């Protein structure tokens, strides 16, 4: 079924909208959730949460790309579930590794007395990422959006693992400089 | 929530198109399956009507004549050289015509300007032109959406989305490349952007039948990691990178126990008992798409498959090479089966240095996890 038709079902409040979304994008959502949670049952629950959130969001929202929309909701739901399970501790898996790697981008911390708005930070990160070269951008997204392991990314692009690590290291350094330049984080 | 967690959340707001593009796995196995289905489904010649994309025509330029042909084979015979149309045997080709110098003999290929035809593959329309005059000098129509390489040939892809255009096809893609003095310009309609690779596979003559993707009949060794019942499969992960997977039946399940990266020319795997325990290790010389060369050794330790890499300590001690995260790999590793030695060359700032060693003492082993899609 085409996306437009599925979205039409959401607007008509037909519950088959969820089934059709699951049929078309369930596997994609599951792979996102599994990368974050590394557990089959948790990943399935996460996909269900994401589908319910899709039901709540459409309408009023009308996504241009349904796949991207449900993917983002799955990622949000997965990270929330991961945080609930690892409250106060880093835990394991790719999320913990990704957080460890991204630590260097926010260090030494935000500008004093300035609360970074999620929207502002999101816009800044998006602008930065969209300004990267195509391969650098895709590798960054695979690592920190999809939480794919270095090994999987290396296999996906046919690169050595050291090249992927090196590429990510350089991108993180650039991101840190960019966020300081945009006065989101303090460079001192 | 920490600042780092907020940053991770913010990454979730990256433009959806970019996220979807990055998430595409360009695994060519999928392409093969589609191609196989297309080829299998190709039966009776279908009618190619006015289904070709609008807005394209092959106007006769001043000073040129047009000659129509009943088949592409007639043109190929006249041309004498290599035309990639020879790889399109499974396509139903029609409306073949050649633009050539006005008044010139058609058999004189130096007067040929453009060969144009329409084709159809299992109902999918393709339009192609082949330019013979100064093909390298023809400017590209703009910045390509993507550039890919097929066997050393650069292919420029121009993808357009036509959401409202056609219920069946959402995209049109133009692929432009030059091969042996001929510039090819192929236009196809697609349901998904990745389908362009199936058409390019066909034109470039890259075969994806079962015998090329599954080389299970080839058993390079009596056993792999002690498993007699094993088979090997080949996966093309990018146009220039191939991964060979070694599969063995363990506890009734087919499990990948080792893999090696290479290209079409290389398959670097050796079964050698390095530690003398009676179970041969599998040594793989890996060549990655970025040119890096790395040795991986696989061991079967009481049923658990371990994957070993040359230790960073060895680099530091023997080569003075500090392998920190920010550095690109500037060392090349390979196993020499004739001398049974591992050879590591460091191309550092202080010049090239090569060391060799035998045995497994400089390897660090971790459990092998096959990263299946």
């Amino acid at each position: 079924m085409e996306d437009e038709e599925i979205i039409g079902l959401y607007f008509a409040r037909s519950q088959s909208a969820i089934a059709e979304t699951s049929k078309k994008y369930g596997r994609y959502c599951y792979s996102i959730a599994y990368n974050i949670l590394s557990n089959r049952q948790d990943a399935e629950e996460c996909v269900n949460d994401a589908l319910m959130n899709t039901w709540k969001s459409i309408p009023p929202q009308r996504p241009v790309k349904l796949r991207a929309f449900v993917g983002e909701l799955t990622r949000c739901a997965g990270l929330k579930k991961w945080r609930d399970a690892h409250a106060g501790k880093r835990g394991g898996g790719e999320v913990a590794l990704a957080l460890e790697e991204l630590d260097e981008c926010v260090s030494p911390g935000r500008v004093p007395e300035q609360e970074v708005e999620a929207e502002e930070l999101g816009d800044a990160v998006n602008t930065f990422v969209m300004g990267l070269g195509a391969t650098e951008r895709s590798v960054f997204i695979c690592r920190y959006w999809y939480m794919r392991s270095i090994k999987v990314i290396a296999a996906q692009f046919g690169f050595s693992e050291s090249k992927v690590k090196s590429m990510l290291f350089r991108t993180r350094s650039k991101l840190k400089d960019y966020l300081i330049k945009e006065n989101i984080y303090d460079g001192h | 929530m920490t600042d780092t967690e907020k940053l991770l959340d913010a990454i979730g707001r990256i433009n959806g198109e970019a996220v979807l593009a990055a998430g595409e796995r360009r695994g060519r196995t999928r392409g093969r399956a589609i191609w196989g289905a297309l080829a299998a489904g190709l039966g009776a010649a279908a009618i190619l009507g006015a289904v070709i994309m609008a807005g394209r025509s092959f106007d006769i330029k001043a000073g040129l004549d047009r000659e129509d042909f009943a088949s592409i084979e007639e043109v190929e015979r006249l041309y004498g050289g290599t035309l990639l149309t020879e790889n399109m045997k499974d396509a139903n080709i029609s409306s073949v015509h050649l633009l050539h110098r006005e008044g010139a003999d058609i058999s004189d290929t130096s007067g040929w300007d453009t060969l144009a035809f329409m084709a159809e593959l299992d109902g999918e329309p393709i339009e192609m032109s082949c330019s013979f005059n100064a093909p390298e000098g023809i400017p590209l129509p703009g910045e390509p959406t993507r550039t890919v390489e097929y066997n050393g040939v650069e292919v420029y892809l121009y993808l357009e989305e036509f959401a409202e255009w056609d219920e069946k096809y959402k995209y049109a893609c133009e692929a432009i490349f030059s091969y042996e003095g001929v510039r090819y310009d192929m236009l196809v309609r697609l349901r998904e952007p990745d389908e362009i690779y199936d058409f390019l596979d066909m034109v470039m003559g890259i075969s994806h039948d079962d015998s090329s993707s599954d080389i299970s009949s080839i058993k390079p060794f009596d056993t792999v990691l002690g498993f007699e019942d094993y088979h090997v499969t080949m996966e093309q992960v990018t146009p220039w990178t191939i991964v060979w997977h070694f599969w063995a039946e363990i506890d009734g399940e087919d499990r990948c126990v080792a893999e090696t990266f290479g290209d079409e020319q290389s398959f670097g795997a050796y079964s050698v008992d390095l530690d003398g325990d009676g179970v041969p290790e599998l040594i793989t010389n890996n060549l990655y798409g970025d040119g890096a060369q790395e040795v991986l050794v696989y061991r079967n330790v009481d049923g658990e498959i371990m994957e070993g890499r040359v230790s960073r300590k060895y680099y530091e001690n023997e080569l003075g090479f500090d392998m920190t995260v920010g550095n690109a790999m500037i060392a090349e590793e390979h196993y020499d089966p004739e001398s049974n030695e591992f050879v590591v060359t460091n191309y550092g700032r202080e010049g090239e240095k090569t060391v060799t060693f035998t045995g497994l003492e400089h390897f660090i082993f971790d459990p092998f996890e096959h990263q299946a899609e």
Side-chain angles (χ1 to χ4, degrees), chain A residues 35-54:
Chain A
N35 279 350
I36 294 170
L37 299 162
S38 309
N39 178 291
R40 195 172 172 165
Q41 192 183 338
D42 288 350
E44 283 169 3
E45 285 173 14
C46 170
V47 173
N48 287 337
D49 290 347
L51 290 172
M52 282 316 296
N53 290 339
T54 307

Side-chain angles (χ1 to χ4, degrees), chain A residues 83-95:
Chain A
R83 278 191 201 107
D84 291 345
H86 298 87
K89 55 185 190 293
R90 277 283 166 95
E94 293 303 327
V95 177

Side-chain angles (χ1 to χ4, degrees), chain B residues 95-246:
Chain B
S95 299
V96 183
H97 63 261
L98 179 71
L99 303 181
H100 62 96
R101 196 169 54 234
E102 199 170 19
D105 187 336
I106 195 77
S107 61
D108 175 12
T109 57
S110 68
W112 287 18
D113 183 85
T114 307
L115 166 69
F117 59 89
M118 294 173 179
E120 191 186 56
L121 190 68
D122 196 28
E124 309 290 337
I126 309 168
E127 185 176 333
M128 183 179 264
S129 69
C130 313
S131 302
F132 300 95
N133 284 333
E136 304 293 345
I138 303 171
L140 290 170
E143 186 69 24
T145 313
R146 185 178 290 171
T147 304
V148 294
E149 193 182 301
Y150 268 78
N151 299 335
V153 177
E154 280 210 325
V155 181
Y156 305 101
L157 300 178
Y158 298 83
L159 186 73
E160 279 191 66
E161 187 174 357
F162 295 101
E164 77 294 341
W165 182 42
D166 190 313
E167 282 186 5
K168 190 174 175 187
Y169 304 101
K170 293 292 183 199
Y171 303 91
C173 188
E174 187 172 10
I176 299 175
F177 57 93
S178 294
Y179 184 79
E180 296 202 356
V182 179
R183 171 157 143 160
Y184 294 83
D185 187 333
M186 179 171 76
L187 189 61
V188 292
R189 290 199 291 185
L190 309 168
R191 293 176 182 82
E192 294 293 336
D194 262 7
E195 287 176 5
I196 186 63
Y197 299 116
D198 301 323
F199 289 101
L200 283 171
D201 285 349
M202 172 188 67
V203 175
M204 295 295 186
I206 295 172
S207 168
H208 291 314
D209 58 18
D210 287 346
S211 60
S212 69
S213 61
D214 184 347
I215 51 174
S216 54
S217 58
I218 301 169
K219 286 201 164 187
F221 321 111
D222 291 338
T223 65
V224 161
L225 300 169
F227 299 106
E228 286 179 14
D229 188 9
Y230 78 93
H231 66 277
V232 186
T233 59
M234 185 182 89
E235 180 190 12
Q236 186 162 9
V237 292
T238 74
W240 53 90
T241 309
I242 289 167
V243 187
W244 284 271
H245 303 275
F246 291 80

Side-chain angles (χ1 to χ4, degrees), chain A residues 2 27-28 35 64-65 67-68 72 75 79 82-83 90 95 98-100 102-103 105-106 109-110 115-116 118-123 125-126 129-130 137-142 144-149 151-152 154-166 169-170 172 175 179 185, chain B residues 1-27 145 161 167-168 170-171 192 237-238 240-241 243 259 261 287-294 296 298 307 309 312 323-330 367-373:
Chain A
E2 295 296 321
R27 188 168 178 266
Y28 172 67
N35 279 350
V64 180
K65 293 269 182 191
R67 182 184 173 94
E72 190 179 336
R75 186 181 183 274
L79 285 177
W82 187 89
R83 278 191 201 107
R90 277 283 166 95
V95 177
L99 284 170
E100 204 174 304
L102 288 171
D103 262 345
C105 298
V106 301
R110 86 173 68 95
E115 185 65 35
V116 180
E119 197 169 333
E120 184 191 0
L121 183 59
D123 288 348
V125 169
N126 186 52
V129 170
M130 296 310 287
R137 177 169 62 230
S138 292
V139 167
F140 184 87
I141 291 172
C142 284
Y144 301 116
W145 199 102
Y146 286 102
M147 313 286 175
R148 287 181 186 157
S149 69
K151 185 166 185 169
V152 165
Q156 179 182 348
F157 288 86
F159 293 155
S160 60
E161 290 180 35
S162 69
K163 166 142 183 166
V164 174
K165 285 180 192 168
S166 160
F169 176 81
R170 283 197 299 271
R172 288 197 305 271
L175 174 59
L179 294 175
Y185 293 124
Chain B
M1 195 188 293
T2 66
D3 281 352
T4 313
E5 287 174 340
K6 283 183 182 173
L7 179 58
L8 197 65
D9 276 356
I11 288 168
R13 300 164 70 101
I14 290 172
N15 176 287
E17 296 271 1
V19 169
L20 293 180
E24 281 176 25
R25 286 178 188 262
R26 276 184 258 163
T145 313
E161 187 174 357
E167 282 186 5
K168 190 174 175 187
K170 293 292 183 199
Y171 303 91
E192 294 293 336
V237 292
T238 74
W240 53 90
T241 309
V243 187
E259 57 194 11
F261 284 71
L287 171 65
Y288 300 103
D290 53 26
Q293 293 180 36
E294 182 183 34
L296 295 174
Y298 295 89
E307 183 183 57
R309 288 181 157 78
R312 297 304 118 193
M323 182 65 184
T324 55
V325 167
N327 285 345
M329 188 78 164
I330 54 172
F368 171 60
E369 286 178 39
H370 179 231
Q371 306 284 345
E373 190 175 343

Side-chain angles (χ1 to χ4, degrees), chain B residues 22-131:
Chain B
E24 281 176 25
R25 286 178 188 262
R26 276 184 258 163
R28 304 290 293 287
T29 311
R30 176 181 161 274
R32 269 180 221 125
I34 291 170
W35 172 246
L38 285 173
L42 184 67
I47 299 164
L48 185 77
V51 291
I52 291 291
M53 292 65 98
R56 297 258 304 178
S57 61
F58 295 100
D59 298 328
I60 301 178
K61 299 176 218 164
L64 295 176
D65 278 342
R66 170 177 165 153
E67 183 86 15
D68 291 331
F69 291 84
S71 74
I72 198 76
E73 286 83 4
E74 279 184 61
V75 183
E76 288 165 1
R77 273 195 297 274
L78 277 173
Y79 184 64
T82 304
L83 277 178
L84 291 177
T85 52
E86 291 166 9
N87 296 326
M88 299 177 69
K89 299 295 182 210
D90 288 331
N92 177 32
I93 294 176
S94 62
S95 299
V96 183
H97 63 261
L98 179 71
L99 303 181
H100 62 96
R101 196 169 54 234
E102 199 170 19
D105 187 336
I106 195 77
S107 61
D108 175 12
T109 57
S110 68
W112 287 18
D113 183 85
T114 307
L115 166 69
F117 59 89
M118 294 173 179
E120 191 186 56
L121 190 68
D122 196 28
E124 309 290 337
I126 309 168
E127 185 176 333
M128 183 179 264
S129 69
C130 313
S131 302

